[in-house]
Amino acid sequence: MLNEFRNAPRGEIALTGRAARGSNQGGMRAYNERLVLSLVRENGPMSKAEISRITGLSAQTVSVIMRALEADSLLQKGARVRGKVGQPSVPMGLNADGAFFFGLKIGRRSTEIVLVDFEGKVRRHTKEVYCHPMPDAVMHFANETLAAWLGDMSEAEQGRVAGLGIAMPFRLWEWDRSLMQVGRRLDAWRDRDIAAELGKSFGFPVYLCNDASAACGAELVSGDQDKPRDFLYFYIGYFVGGGLVLDNRLYEGRTGNAAALGSMPVAVQEGGARQQLVDVASLATLEVMLEGAGQGRPTSWSHPDAWDFSRELLNDWLDGAAKGLAQVIVSANCLIDFQTVLIDGSLPAQVRADLVARTGLCLNDFAVSGVEIPEVRTGTIGGDARSLGAASLPLSDRFLVDRNAFLKG
């Protein structure tokens, strides 16, 4: 049945209030299985009666679906729950070993690989830091790591690897001429199709997504589910990037590079030259500021010790980043009337909260007539959003329906 998921039809659903309606037609079995798996993932272990009530599927249809999912080790029985009347119910929950997903994040300063189980828990994680992401080095790291991890799996576990997701900046070669060191060119990426190369090497499905969009996808799939149907998303990494969710779906655009928010023009200093958001709201900018002040940092930005430096300098970066973010938010909101904006990234929780608060205040300064100011909130995934987002690509494609199918409540 795993192969059936790969080619499962994208069946139509109709929402009734906050409950999804399924189909009892025989041709929709694969879609209804996705619906059940998505519902259990969202709410935790559930009984057949609960699933039947929420989806509108008949009790017999739900029983058939859940028996099939249990036979494929995607669901497993929990402890019996006794009610006041009738037979005790047996909730069914996800089987963590039911499927596995690899996620590869290619960043400007590091590459990460994660192995995630069917419950969304990270089983393995490794990282390699470099000055520049040269394709041969990245491919060597990916091939060696994936081969080693697969070698540690049993034959049955290898058969349950649903795919590899890759999250990387698109048009990576264009950024070495801005904030990267002069003279180091990344043009070799122009002619490399690493998704095809890795797919040929390992034989499982490989998915490719812009890194910031993948981080946004992780927020959509695994983050807090109290978000509105449309939201704008910022990920603050070595370079800042963005993601866009419309009607509970990640929108990637014609080329997969939608919500390229780092490229949007801003004017942070009064009377100053026009810049791009990437010039003011990226960790690369903060790194340059530290080097100019002779302060440096002892480790990578993901480590708390990296943030042990002058508060005055941090305030300067936060103020510039907040002003830039606010301008981009107002511009984007003129086009799409967002209710909520999320800001996440490789930042300590307190720094991220401070940036969100300052951005919210700056929005008042850049507000324009006729456009309502959106709420600015912190993302809920954090620094792992890009690698987890990569792993969520095969998960979403092969096992889930989108959030329109049901809403937690």
Side-chain angles (χ1 to χ4, degrees), residues 290-305:
L290 281 169
E291 292 174 354
Q295 297 190 37
R297 58 186 173 91
T299 184
S300 68
W301 287 115
S302 60
H303 196 283
D305 290 346

Side-chain angles (χ1 to χ4, degrees), residues 172-336:
L172 183 62
W173 56 88
E174 293 185 352
W175 292 106
D176 68 331
R177 288 185 287 274
S178 76
L179 294 181
M180 283 187 167
Q181 295 178 9
V182 177
R184 290 304 299 254
R185 302 298 298 272
L186 301 175
D187 285 347
W189 282 104
R190 291 179 182 271
D191 302 318
R192 295 296 291 267
D193 186 347
I194 63 168
E197 291 180 38
L198 289 171
K200 184 177 180 180
S201 296
F202 295 100
F204 42 62
V206 178
Y207 306 78
L208 181 66
C209 186
N210 175 270
D211 59 338
S213 291
C216 184
E219 182 69 48
L220 184 65
V221 172
S222 304
D224 290 349
Q225 298 299 308
D226 62 343
K227 297 181 289 291
R229 299 169 69 88
D230 306 322
F231 64 87
L232 191 65
Y233 175 90
F234 292 87
Y235 186 90
I236 312 295
Y238 190 73
F239 290 152
V240 62
L244 175 62
V245 170
L246 297 175
D247 199 22
N248 284 328
R249 294 181 177 91
L250 180 66
Y251 180 77
E252 297 181 74
R254 177 178 57 86
T255 65
N257 205 33
L261 302 178
S263 299
M264 291 190 69
V266 296
V268 174
Q269 296 180 352
E270 187 174 350
R274 177 172 294 181
Q275 299 174 291
Q276 292 178 296
L277 182 64
V278 69
D279 299 319
V280 298
S282 299
L283 294 180
T285 303
L286 178 55
E287 188 175 88
V288 171
M289 294 170 67
L290 281 169
E291 292 174 354
Q295 297 190 37
R297 58 186 173 91
T299 184
S300 68
W301 287 115
S302 60
H303 196 283
D305 290 346
W307 295 84
D308 185 17
F309 53 81
S310 164
R311 182 68 195 184
E312 181 180 0
L313 191 148
L314 178 59
N315 284 334
D316 288 343
W317 178 78
L318 286 169
D319 286 340
K323 290 177 182 178
L325 289 166
Q327 290 179 62
V328 170
I329 290 169
V330 170
S331 297
N333 220 41
C334 289
L335 181 63
I336 300 175

Side-chain angles (χ1 to χ4, degrees), residues 84-139:
K84 294 182 180 179
V85 295
Q87 296 293 322
S89 63
V90 181
M92 300 284 284
L94 298 177
N95 178 8
D97 294 327
F100 299 98
F101 315 92
F102 289 117
L104 168 63
K105 185 272 291 186
I106 302 172
R108 276 84 174 188
R109 286 297 175 88
S110 66
T111 297
E112 297 181 48
I113 299 181
V114 294
L115 172 63
V116 178
D117 66 26
F118 200 43
E119 288 185 329
K121 297 177 181 177
V122 176
R123 293 285 186 94
R124 302 188 72 167
H125 170 270
T126 188
K127 178 178 181 178
E128 185 172 87
V129 178
Y130 41 63
C131 291
H132 303 280
M134 305 309 292
D136 286 342
V138 170
M139 285 298 298

